[in-house]
């Protein structure tokens, strides 16, 4: 049973067009699953070459999906890709894109001021009924929503990497998010083929609240010299059934991202300030200082030379 409310679809508004702001790995993934599920999607970013990169992330992922869907039929694979891409519209004009959408999903840089100023501008441009959501993994939804006059139509919609593959979406509701908005997001997520869970606006929501301290504990274990990083990864894969060990997973998520999340919680996370579980780790700091962010920079705890950042494991 749902803690926050079970969804009654009757009150959900119909979403036909979605605008996704930000065409990085997360944003592009959300665009892809939305278009694959039949939504019309505007993919928005600041510059054409950012959009081109996002489009490349989508088409290379769609190729993998198409190969599974239509093995040995190259023409059918191409038709599938063309059909999905026909629903993806590229734009550098976020206000215009939002003005024609029932749902705006933000997946830009993890900076509160930047997100607030984006949403403030969109608040004036989008129709009254348009729902705004953020895909943030580290900032309070309520703080972002406070820049708008639609706090009842504001929520968090948190996807996981790789977005096309991971089934979960966390729906974050603040004290002000309306039941109708929650129900609409629940229905949209289901239509995307995902499994929604609900969580209050608390640091890390469900997944990161548990996963991030686990990652930090794995760093401490290696820092103390109790075991090697390779053995910790092997242990968690073969002893606990995780698809990746914690060091592989940190490289996958991005070491800069892990540091950004834990630093934020340690200094300002509700109920987490000064908590030793998420205290800075010297091993993590060392890699981040050296510019070793993981898979996306070619090196983190492990080396990924010649492996694309968007290629799963
Ligand atoms: N697009 C489409 N399909 C993809 C894909 C992509 N980008 N990446 C992987 N896949 C598919 C593959 O095609 C393959 O499909 P199949 O099994 O049907 O043939 C399947 O996923 C498995 O891929 P691989 O065989 O290449 O590799 P793995 O079996 O190791 O799986 C993985 C890769 C799905 C990434 C798996 O290792 C995994 O689940 N890892 C953990 C990921 C995780 O925990 N993510 C959450 C991170 S936390 C987060 O995102 C929150 C943020 O806020 C910090």
């Amino acid at each position: 049973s749902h803690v926050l409310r079970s969804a009654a679809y009757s009150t959900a508004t119909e979403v036909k067009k979605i605008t996704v702001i930000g065409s990085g790995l997360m944003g592009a993934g959300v665009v892809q699953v939305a278009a694959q599920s039949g939504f019309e999607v505007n993919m928005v970013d600041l510059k054409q070459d950012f959009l081109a990169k996002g489009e490349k992330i989508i088409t290379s992922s769609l190729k993998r999906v198409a190969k599974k869907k239509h093995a040995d039929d190259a023409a059918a694979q191409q038709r599938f890709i063309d059909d999905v891409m026909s629903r993806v519209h590229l734009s550098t004009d976020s206000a215009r894109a939002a003005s024609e959408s029932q749902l705006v999903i933000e997946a830009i840089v993890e900076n509160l001021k930047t997100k607030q100023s984006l949403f403030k501008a969109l608040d004036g441009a989008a129709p009254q009924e348009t729902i705004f959501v953020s895909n943030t993994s580290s900032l309070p939804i309520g703080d972002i929503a406070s820049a708008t006059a639609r706090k009842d139509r504001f929520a968090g919609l948190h996807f996981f990497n790789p977005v096309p593959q991971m089934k979960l979406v966390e729906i974050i509701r603040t004290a002000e998010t309306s039941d109708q908005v929650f129900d609409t997001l629940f229905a949209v997520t289901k239509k995307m083929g995902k499994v929604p869970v609900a969580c209050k606006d608390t640091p890390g929501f469900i997944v990161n609240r548990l996963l991030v301290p686990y990652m930090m504990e794995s760093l401490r274990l290696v820092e103390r010299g109790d075991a090697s990083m390779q053995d910790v990864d092997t242990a968690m894969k073969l002893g606990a059934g995780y698809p990746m060990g914690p060091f592989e997973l940190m490289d996958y998520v991005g070491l800069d991202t892990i540091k950004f999340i834990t630093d934020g919680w340690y200094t300002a996370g509700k109920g987490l300030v000064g908590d030793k579980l998420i205290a800075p780790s010297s091993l993590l700091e060392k890699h981040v200082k050296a510019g070793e962010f993981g898979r996306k920079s070619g090196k983190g705890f492990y080396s990924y030379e010649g492996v694309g950042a968007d290629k799963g494991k």
Side-chain angles (χ1 to χ4, degrees):
S1 69
H2 274 271
V3 189
L4 300 170
R5 187 172 187 266
S6 65
Y9 292 95
S10 52
T11 60
T13 48
E14 202 190 343
V15 172
K16 290 196 173 116
K17 192 159 199 170
I18 298 175
T19 286
V20 178
I21 315 228
S23 61
L25 208 49
M26 271 282 175
V30 176
V31 169
Q32 180 188 334
V33 294
Q36 260 180 259
S37 346
F39 293 104
E40 293 292 326
V41 196
N42 291 323
M43 179 161 76
V44 179
D45 213 319
L46 297 169
K47 290 188 198 156
Q48 285 298 340
D49 44 318
F50 296 164
L51 288 170
K53 268 191 202 143
E55 206 177 15
K56 239 188 111 201
I57 295 172
I58 298 174
T59 47
S60 66
S61 172
L62 279 177
K63 276 183 195 146
R64 292 172 81 162
V65 179
K67 271 200 191 117
K68 273 187 274 175
K69 254 185 149 66
H70 305 284
D72 307 324
D73 187 347
Q77 289 174 21
Q78 194 56 48
R79 271 200 306 279
F80 165 78
I81 294 171
D82 292 344
D83 173 59
V84 173
M85 293 312 287
S86 75
R87 288 186 289 281
V88 176
H89 315 281
L90 310 185
S91 169
T92 52
D93 185 346
S94 58
R96 175 142 184 222
S99 76
E100 53 183 46
S101 303
Q102 295 80 44
L103 173 62
V104 175
I105 303 175
E106 170 273 312
I108 65 168
V109 60
E110 288 281 86
N111 179 295
L112 181 61
K113 291 252 149 51
T114 313
K115 289 186 197 282
Q116 285 176 329
S117 72
L118 170 72
F119 276 119
K120 193 173 181 192
L122 297 185
D123 201 23
Q128 275 302 310
E129 63 275 16
T130 298
I131 298 169
F132 287 177
V133 299
S134 174
N135 179 57
T136 184
S137 49
S138 59
L139 301 167
I141 301 300
D143 289 1
I144 307 172
S146 70
T148 71
R150 61 178 83 207
K151 299 185 188 64
D152 56 326
R153 282 149 289 154
F154 207 111
L157 203 63
H158 190 217
F159 292 83
F160 296 85
N161 260 318
V163 178
Q165 186 68 19
M166 303 308 277
K167 283 289 214 181
L168 189 75
V169 176
E170 293 172 328
I171 304 177
I172 316 307
R173 62 185 305 185
T174 70
E176 278 142 313
T177 310
S178 76
D179 288 345
Q180 183 180 358
V181 164
F182 180 77
D183 291 349
T184 303
L185 294 173
F186 198 95
V188 166
T189 318
K190 297 273 267 193
K191 190 176 165 187
M192 285 180 179
K194 302 295 188 195
V195 177
V197 292
C199 188
K200 288 185 184 172
D201 189 14
T202 48
F205 317 130
I206 301 174
V207 171
N208 282 345
R209 183 65 175 258
L210 299 178
L211 203 51
V212 171
Y214 153 74
M215 290 167 172
M216 297 307 282
E217 278 298 278
S218 67
L219 285 158
R220 318 267 187 232
L221 203 153
V222 170
E223 281 168 3
R224 288 193 301 269
D226 294 346
S228 71
M229 154 184 116
Q230 288 83 355
D231 280 358
V232 171
D233 276 350
T234 300
M236 293 314 290
K237 283 188 284 190
L238 302 186
Y242 284 27
M244 290 177 178
F247 291 91
E248 293 170 320
L249 186 56
M250 284 188 275
D251 273 356
Y252 189 71
V253 168
L255 306 194
D256 52 335
T257 303
I258 305 298
K259 177 172 159 51
F260 184 82
I261 293 175
T262 47
D263 286 352
W265 290 356
Y266 195 65
T267 53
K270 197 176 165 217
L272 285 174
V273 175
D275 193 318
K276 68 179 188 342
L277 262 181
I278 41 125
S281 144
S282 57
L283 183 53
L284 183 65
E285 306 267 326
K286 188 187 87 182
H287 285 282
V288 172
K289 266 208 190 97
E292 296 166 4
F293 299 150
R295 197 168 282 265
K296 65 183 164 190
S297 65
K299 192 175 185 330
F301 295 113
Y302 299 100
S303 183
Y304 301 90
E305 258 126 68
V307 183
D310 60 330
K311 307 269 189 299
K313 192 181 164 286

